[in-house]
């Protein structure tokens, strides 16, 4: 008898797997890699919404948990995945500078916004109004994290690279039976793939497609992440990750000519140097209209659970939401009303 079956091994799935491992629970993970939004994500963690200069929901708690969480994983995998690097918000006017200073006076934002405008000159970026520096930022290399963690799970026979067949799931009073496995609980962490899940497809998961580039720009000497209408993240060797687009209509994970042109246009608004597109990615983020994750248990089957809807801030949200769901299942700790799927009522 296993403690858990986990379906999905993106950021949500591996965060829950790691939480189980730290609590000595037994589990196995199923994933056929049909969803790739975690792997191609920008991976930035940033406590401030830079369009409106407002704080991300529960930013302090999420950052503190995430730092400890990723440090433990780095030790376990003997691989660096957490890269601490400043984010510079480019200013386009004196008014934006003033808005920044007004935001930095607020008690909840003061720890995250530097009060000194940065006038550092970067070749190929024209910035007469300077930059605002966001503190306590960086990025998680999600591709390395997921590849290494999958390999780690595989080495202990805890990973099954295969599609989960819902028709083979039998729900009993004290446990669930799936093919030749018995487990006390099952957690679905499928990202946008949730729409095929008969237990939770009533939930309003509204996927948002994002497209990103890897570009080569030898004349760009950037050593921070610059955020404007897109982010530009230095990867070393004259390579930069650039993104992302937002498309609410297209639910495929295929790069498009429209997304490509949008990114090219935005890059040309920022950079004055030539660049070469090395790679072009796309994925569908599991977003929710109220911008809160989807956590909880099925209203009939109490041993069937969901961890989803982490959206654009998966690297910050995943450790905290995995812990919340674990404490809810194992210790009876109530979920935050804004993340509990009960806010959307019962399945039809």
């Amino acid at each position: 008898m296993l403690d858990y079956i986990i379906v999905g091994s993106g950021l949500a799935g591996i965060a829950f797997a790691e939480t189980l491992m730290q609590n000595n629970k037994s589990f196995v993970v199923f994933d056929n890699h049909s969803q790739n939004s975690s792997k191609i994500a920008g991976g930035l963690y940033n406590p401030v919404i830079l369009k409106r200069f407002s704080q991300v929901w529960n930013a302090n708690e999420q950052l503190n948990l995430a730092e400890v969480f990723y440090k433990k994983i780095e030790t376990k995998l003997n691989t660096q995945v957490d890269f601490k690097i400043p984010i510079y918000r480019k200013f386009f006017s004196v008014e934006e500078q003033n808005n920044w200073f007004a935001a930095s006076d607020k008690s909840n934002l003061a720890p995250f916004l530097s009060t000194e405008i940065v006038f550092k000159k970067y070749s190929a970026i024209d910035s007469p109004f300077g930059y605002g520096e966001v503190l306590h930022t960086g990025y998680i290399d999600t591709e390395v994290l997921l590849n290494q963690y999958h390999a780690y799970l595989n080495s202990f026979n805890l990973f099954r690279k295969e599609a989960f067949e819902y028709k083979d799931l039998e729900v009993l009073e004290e446990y669930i039976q799936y093919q030749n496995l018995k487990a006390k609980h099952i957690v679905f962490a499928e990202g946008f793939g949730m729409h095929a899940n008969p237990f939770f497809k009533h939930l309003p998961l509204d996927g948002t497609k994002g497209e990103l580039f890897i570009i080569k720009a030898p004349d760009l000497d950037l050593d921070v992440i610059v955020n404007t209408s897109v982010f530009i993240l230095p990867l070393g060797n004259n390579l930069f990750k650039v993104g992302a687009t937002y498309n609410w209509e297209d639910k495929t994970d295929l790069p498009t000519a429209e997304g490509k042109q949008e990114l090219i246009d935005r890059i040309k608004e920022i950079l004055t140097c030539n660049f070469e597109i090395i790679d072009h990615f796309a994925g569908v983020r599991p977003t929710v209209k109220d911008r809160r994750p989807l956590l909880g248990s099925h209203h009939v089957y109490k041993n069937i659970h969901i961890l989803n809807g982490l959206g654009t801030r998966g690297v910050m949200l995943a450790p905290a939401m995995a812990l919340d769901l674990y404490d809810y299942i194992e210790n009876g700790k109530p979920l935050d009303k804004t993340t509990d799927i009960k806010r959307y009522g019962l399945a039809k």
Side-chain angles (χ1 to χ4, degrees):
M1 175 79 75
L2 292 168
D3 291 309
Y4 287 85
I5 292 172
I6 302 171
V7 182
S9 65
L11 287 166
I14 67 166
F16 197 78
E18 179 64 17
T19 303
L20 293 180
M21 203 170 284
Q22 292 177 16
N23 287 278
N24 299 312
K25 299 293 184 181
S26 58
F27 65 90
V28 66
V29 178
F30 284 81
D31 197 339
N32 66 347
H33 300 318
S34 63
Q35 303 299 315
N36 68 341
S37 64
S38 289
K39 188 168 282 191
I40 65 97
L44 275 60
Y45 54 89
N46 170 15
V48 181
I49 299 169
L50 290 173
K51 278 186 180 177
R52 302 188 293 275
F53 297 151
S54 57
Q55 185 182 5
V56 170
W57 170 69
N58 280 357
N60 286 315
E61 176 194 358
Q62 291 169 23
L63 279 176
N64 290 337
L65 279 170
E67 182 167 17
V68 174
F69 178 85
Y70 292 116
K71 180 60 67 179
K72 285 181 178 177
I73 285 185
E74 286 181 327
T75 301
K76 174 181 289 189
L77 302 179
N78 194 28
T79 304
Q80 184 178 5
V81 298
D82 185 358
F83 296 85
K84 299 184 187 308
I85 178 171
I87 292 178
Y88 282 10
R89 165 64 154 81
K90 181 182 170 181
F91 295 135
F92 290 88
S93 65
V94 172
E95 183 183 10
E96 282 197 340
Q97 293 175 345
N98 292 337
N99 291 341
W100 178 274
F101 285 126
S104 66
D105 276 342
K106 297 177 181 177
S107 58
N108 64 325
L109 288 171
F112 304 123
L113 300 180
S114 170
T115 55
E116 292 187 17
I117 295 179
V118 178
F119 283 104
K120 184 172 181 180
K121 299 294 184 185
Y122 289 106
S123 63
I125 301 181
D126 186 25
S127 54
F129 297 99
Y131 307 90
E133 181 180 353
V134 188
L135 309 174
H136 309 294
T137 61
Y139 73 95
I140 302 297
D141 189 326
T142 54
E143 183 172 13
V144 170
L145 169 64
L146 269 60
N147 287 340
Q148 294 280 337
Y149 204 89
H150 293 162
Y152 176 82
L153 292 176
N154 208 39
S155 70
F156 291 99
N157 294 316
L158 301 177
F159 189 83
R160 298 197 179 184
K161 188 179 178 182
E162 57 189 81
F164 186 86
E165 302 291 344
Y166 303 106
K167 63 180 174 53
D168 293 344
L169 180 63
E170 185 180 1
V171 186
L172 302 163
E173 187 65 30
E174 297 299 324
Y175 63 93
I176 56 105
Q177 175 94 36
Y178 179 71
Q179 296 176 355
N180 64 336
L181 296 174
K182 292 180 180 179
K184 296 175 186 174
H185 301 277
I186 185 166
V187 171
F188 289 104
E190 303 158 292
F192 190 65
M194 186 201 80
H195 284 286
N197 187 317
F199 301 101
F200 295 113
K201 63 183 180 181
H202 68 286
L203 294 172
L205 190 71
D206 181 31
T208 309
K209 181 171 181 170
E211 301 190 44
L212 300 94
F213 284 165
I214 303 293
I215 65 169
K216 188 168 189 176
D219 296 326
L220 180 60
D221 63 347
L222 201 58
D223 59 356
V224 298
I225 300 167
V226 166
N227 184 295
T228 58
S229 58
V230 290
F231 68 81
I232 302 176
L233 187 163
L235 300 174
N237 298 318
N238 298 319
L239 296 176
F240 302 85
K241 182 180 282 189
V242 182
T245 63
Y246 290 82
N247 185 323
W248 287 267
E249 304 303 323
D250 183 358
K251 308 300 183 184
T252 70
D253 59 5
L254 300 174
T256 65
E258 294 81 8
K260 180 178 182 180
Q261 191 58 53
E262 181 180 342
L263 284 173
I264 289 172
D265 291 345
R266 291 189 182 185
I267 293 170
K268 287 182 175 179
E269 289 173 358
I270 304 163
L271 301 185
T272 59
C273 64
N274 293 325
F275 60 91
E276 176 188 358
I277 300 168
I278 303 299
D279 219 334
H280 181 189
F281 307 100
V284 181
R285 312 172 185 91
T287 52
V288 185
K289 280 190 170 64
D290 66 6
R291 300 185 181 182
R292 292 291 183 269
L294 299 170
L295 274 63
S297 304
H298 191 273
H299 67 287
V300 176
Y301 306 116
K302 302 307 179 188
N303 43 12
I304 297 182
H305 317 279
I306 186 169
L307 175 56
N308 208 319
L310 303 188
T312 60
R313 300 187 183 274
V315 297
M316 272 181 70
L317 279 168
M321 296 303 99
L323 183 59
D324 281 359
L325 184 63
Y326 178 84
D327 280 342
Y328 167 73
I329 297 169
E330 293 290 337
N331 304 317
K333 182 180 176 182
L335 291 167
D336 187 311
K337 289 180 181 178
T338 67
T339 64
D340 194 327
I341 59 171
K342 288 177 183 173
R343 70 193 190 272
Y344 288 115
L346 308 180
K348 300 293 188 289

